[in-house]
Amino acid sequence: MMHIHRLEKIWLAIGVAILVVFLGVIGVGAFAMGMQPPTGHHTIDPEKVSETYPFNNPGLEQVGENEYNAYMIAYAFGFKPAKMEVPLGAKVHFQVTSPDVVHGFQITGTTVNLMAVPGEVNHYTYTFDKPGEYLVLCNEYCGAGHEFMATTIIVK
């Protein structure tokens, strides 16, 4: 029979205790605090993006008083629509997808930062409260020519 030294037993006990505390914290966060994965998962056939409503006509669509849906497609190596004008103070619900590979969708100077994933539609709502031109960049490497992938949102 193998003998385990007293200090080894102490360190084993400390390691197991830390593991139990870690799992306990994760369990409380997941169950007691009601944390769960995001809902409203929206999928689309990536091979038919340009044929599927509303991405068959990407752009801005008014859905309320100074409230809009912005349907955008990130593709190699650009965005549709190429430019978009948004009224100042407008609440914009971005819906972004991709027909080919994973792209980034980041509007510089804002908190908008999404991934355009083939087969999924990602959503983000943002209110433009400052006029100007906002640069939209792909911040996920998507192949040769990635550095030219950009568009502009003009807020008037």
Side-chain angles (χ1 to χ4, degrees):
M1 187 165 149
M2 187 169 85
H3 176 71
I4 298 177
H5 192 272
R6 187 174 65 92
L7 290 177
E8 289 177 328
K9 289 180 184 177
I10 292 171
W11 279 112
L12 263 167
I14 289 172
V16 169
I18 289 172
L19 182 62
V20 168
V21 168
F22 174 74
L23 292 175
V25 168
I26 296 294
V28 167
F31 299 109
M33 297 177 75
M35 291 183 189
Q36 51 187 285
T39 57
H41 190 71
H42 183 176
T43 59
I44 187 172
D45 183 352
E47 293 179 5
K48 296 180 180 175
V49 169
S50 61
E51 303 165 20
T52 306
Y53 177 84
F55 296 101
N56 59 341
N57 187 22
L60 206 60
E61 171 188 69
Q62 188 164 5
V63 293
E65 187 177 326
N66 215 21
E67 188 172 352
Y68 298 85
N69 283 338
Y71 305 107
M72 299 194 75
I73 301 171
Y75 63 92
F77 296 99
F79 292 97
K80 285 183 187 175
K83 279 190 179 177
M84 184 180 291
E85 285 192 20
V86 175
L88 182 64
K91 182 184 222 178
V92 181
H93 307 285
F94 287 97
Q95 298 184 40
V96 182
T97 192
S98 169
D100 46 28
V101 298
V102 174
H103 296 281
F105 182 85
Q106 178 182 10
I107 304 175
T108 57
T110 70
T111 58
V112 179
N113 189 0
L114 300 170
M115 289 181 71
V117 180
E120 293 188 27
V121 179
N122 284 324
H123 306 265
Y124 193 91
T125 300
Y126 186 79
T127 301
F128 289 94
D129 53 4
K130 293 179 185 171
E133 287 193 13
Y134 292 83
L135 183 63
V136 180
L137 296 171
C138 174
N139 59 3
E140 290 285 330
Y141 183 72
C142 53
H146 159 77
E147 66 273 13
F148 303 112
M149 192 171 168
T151 188
T152 306
I153 295 177
I154 301 164
V155 179
K156 293 183 179 183

